[in-house]
Amino acid sequence: MGTTIYCYGQTGNNQIGVGAEGDFLLGSYSSAYNVGFGGNLKGLFGVGQSGQITLTAGYSTFSSKSGTIFAGQTLSLVPILAGYRYNTSNGFYGEPQIGVGDLTTKGPGFSFSQTNFAGSLNVGYVTNGFDLSLRYYTEGDVISMFAIRVGYNFSLKGK
């Protein structure tokens, strides 16, 4: 007499996401720079039914406000973040991330760049591949912002 046992591995949902966003600086940077715009590329690697490990690289740029001592300058931000996205069955998700951000200020005759520890918290909604989210991003006491992101997630083999 024998017993047969079948085991099924939980295959996750693997995706590549592309998105555009509007970025709103907080604190002292908000009085010096206009609303920024950017884009990002995100890899989402499925773990189980509702989880995804994420890796995100992005670029955002901000022009300075006229009439300030920062006039003529631009600010750019390049975050590289890893995180975990928990997806609910009704399309909502939460996604904390950590990583680094490269912050560069350029003006007439100078350029200054610094790399800082960074973190973010994303909450969003996905339907039919379309991804709408709100994000709080911070580099500690250096810079913070809120972002509104609109993206699309392309499914890869694995679901």
Side-chain angles (χ1 to χ4, degrees):
M1 179 177 209
T3 303
T4 304
I5 299 174
Y6 292 96
C7 295
Y8 295 95
Q10 303 244 342
T11 302
N13 187 13
N14 298 320
Q15 300 172 307
I16 295 290
V18 293
E21 62 185 37
D23 303 313
F24 304 88
L25 292 169
L26 302 172
S28 60
Y29 279 101
S30 67
S31 61
Y33 292 92
N34 294 305
V35 172
F37 299 96
N40 53 46
L41 182 64
K42 180 178 290 205
L44 301 106
F45 307 98
V47 288
Q49 292 282 339
S50 58
Q52 292 174 301
I53 301 295
T54 63
L55 182 59
T56 306
Y59 177 80
S60 294
T61 186
F62 306 85
S63 61
S64 60
K65 292 182 178 179
S66 60
T68 69
I69 62 170
F70 302 99
Q73 293 182 10
T74 58
L75 184 70
S76 62
L77 178 63
V78 178
I80 300 173
L81 303 165
Y84 178 79
R85 178 182 284 191
Y86 179 78
N87 300 289
T88 66
S89 60
N90 58 3
F92 290 97
Y93 66 84
E95 179 186 5
Q97 296 179 301
I98 58 169
V100 296
D102 183 62
L103 181 65
T104 302
T105 305
K106 291 183 182 179
F110 81 95
S111 179
F112 174 75
S113 184
Q114 62 181 337
T115 301
N116 304 296
F117 177 77
S120 74
L121 180 60
N122 304 298
V123 292
Y125 179 75
V126 176
T127 182
N128 297 321
F130 291 97
D131 187 340
L132 177 63
S133 65
L134 297 173
R135 175 172 49 123
Y136 173 73
Y137 174 88
T138 185
E139 290 183 22
D141 60 357
V142 178
I143 191 169
S144 296
M145 72 176 186
F146 276 105
I148 299 171
R149 179 180 183 272
V150 176
Y152 188 81
N153 300 327
F154 297 91
S155 287
L156 302 175
K157 183 180 178 183
K159 183 171 182 179

